[in-house]
C-alpha cells in the first residue's frame, strides 16, 4: 500500500489577500472602498475565520500503473494527463467549524456575516491549495495542472473513490452527487513525470 500523508498548513497558508476576500464577498472596484463600519466587520470575520479554521490536507502519490482506469464505469485519470508516471491525489479541508459558524449566522439572520465568512473560507481554501501545490511541485517537479473531479471528463462522483483511496474520514462525499462535507473541502489530483511515493 502507498502511504497517505498529512499536511498541516501554517497560519499564513490559509490567509487570503484582503482584496480577494472582499471581491469574493461581492465588493467591487479598484481600489475596493469600504466605510469604517463595513471594514471593521469584514476584518473581524477574517479574524474569526482564522480562529475557527482547522486546515488539513491529506495526500498520497501513486505510480500510474497502480491506479485503476475506471471505477463504477467512471474514468479516474483525466484525458489531459499525458505522459505521466505518477499522480498525487489530495483532499484539503477547513473542517466542520467553518460550516457550523456560517449556519449559526444564518440561523440568527446575520446574512452579511454569513456571506463574509463563506467568502473568506472559499478564498482561504484556495490559498491552502495553492500553497500545497507549490510545495508539492518543489518536491516532484512541474507536473500537470491541478485537476478536480467534476471538470472535464472526470465525474464528480469520483470524489468518493479518492476519499476511500486516501482513507480520509474527516471529509465525506455524497454517493449520488459527489458533493463534499465539510463544504469548504476540495479533492484534487496532479500528474507528474516522476513522483515521490512511499509504501507502508
Amino acid at each position: 500500500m502507498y502511504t497517505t500523508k498529512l499536511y498541516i498548513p501554517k497560519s499564513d497558508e490559509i490567509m487570503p489577500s484582503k482584496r480577494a476576500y472582499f471581491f469574493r464577498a461581492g465588493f467591487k472596484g479598484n481600489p475596493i472602498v469600504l466605510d469604517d463600519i463595513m471594514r471593521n466587520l469584514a476584518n473581524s470575520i477574517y479574524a474569526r475565520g482564522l480562529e475557527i479554521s482547522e486546515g488539513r490536507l491529506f495526500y498520497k502519490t501513486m505510480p500510474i500503473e497502480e491506479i485503476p482506469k475506471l471505477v463504477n464505469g467512471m474514468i479516474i485519470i483525466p484525458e489531459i494527463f499525458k505522459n505521466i508516471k505518477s499522480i498525487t491525489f489530495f483532499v484539503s479541508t477547513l473542517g466542520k467549524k467553518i460550516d457550523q459558524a456560517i449556519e449559526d449566522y444564518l440561523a440568527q439572520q446575520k446574512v452579511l456575516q454569513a456571506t463574509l465568512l463563506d467568502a473568506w473560507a472559499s478564498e482561504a481554501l484556495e490559498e491552502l491549495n495553492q500553497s500545497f501545490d507549490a510545495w508539492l511541485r518543489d518536491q516532484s517537479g512541474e507536473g500537470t495542472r491541478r485537476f478536480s473531479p467534476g471538470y472535464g471528463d472526470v465525474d464528480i462522483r469520483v470524489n468518493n473513490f479518492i476519499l476511500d483511496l486516501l482513507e480520509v474520514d474527516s471529509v465525506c462525499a455524497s454517493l449520488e452527487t459527489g458533493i463534499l462535507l465539510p463544504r469548504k473541502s476540495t479533492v484534487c489530483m496532479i500528474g507528474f513525470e516522476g513522483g515521490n511515493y512511499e509504501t507502508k
Side-chain angles (χ1 to χ4, degrees), residues 37-55:
I37 293 175
M38 183 60 70
R39 185 172 296 278
N40 288 339
L41 176 60
N43 286 338
S44 71
I45 294 295
Y46 191 109
R48 174 75 169 143
L50 280 175
E51 176 188 352
I52 63 176
S53 176
E54 299 171 310

Side-chain angles (χ1 to χ4, degrees), residues 102-119:
I102 293 170
E103 291 173 8
D104 289 347
Y105 280 136
L106 290 173
Q108 299 164 31
Q109 299 185 341
K110 295 181 177 180
V111 177
L112 178 56
Q113 287 88 337
T115 300
L116 287 167
L117 184 56
D118 186 87

Side-chain angles (χ1 to χ4, degrees), residues 26-38:
F27 300 108
K28 309 300 182 184
N30 187 16
I32 294 172
V33 178
L34 306 177
D35 63 32
D36 288 345
I37 293 175
M38 183 60 70

Side-chain angles (χ1 to χ4, degrees), residues 62 64 66-81 84 87 89 147-151 153-155 157-163 165 187-190:
M62 297 176 63
I64 194 75
E66 298 290 330
I67 301 166
K69 289 185 169 34
L70 297 172
V71 59
N72 297 326
M74 298 177 290
I75 68 167
I76 306 299
I77 304 169
E79 179 66 25
I80 62 170
F81 280 26
I84 62 168
I87 294 180
F89 297 98
F147 186 93
S148 291
Y151 295 91
D153 50 352
V154 180
D155 194 288
R157 292 171 293 173
V158 170
N159 281 342
N160 288 284
F161 166 77
I162 296 173
L163 289 171
L165 183 72
V187 170
C188 304
M189 63 182 92
I190 301 173

Side-chain angles (χ1 to χ4, degrees), residues 7 9-11 13-16 46 48-58 91-102 117-129 170-171 180-186:
Y7 182 95
K10 301 180 180 68
S11 60
E13 293 180 281
I14 54 170
M15 292 178 66
Y46 191 109
R48 174 75 169 143
L50 280 175
E51 176 188 352
I52 63 176
S53 176
E54 299 171 310
R56 297 288 184 274
L57 195 147
F58 305 87
V91 56
S92 56
T93 184
L94 297 185
K96 297 178 179 179
K97 290 182 180 179
I98 291 283
D99 283 6
Q100 187 59 57
I102 293 170
L117 184 56
D118 186 87
W120 178 87
S122 294
E123 290 298 326
L125 185 62
E126 179 57 21
E127 192 73 15
L128 170 57
N129 287 340
S170 56
V171 177
L180 300 171
L181 286 175
R183 291 191 294 273
K184 299 307 177 182
S185 304
T186 55

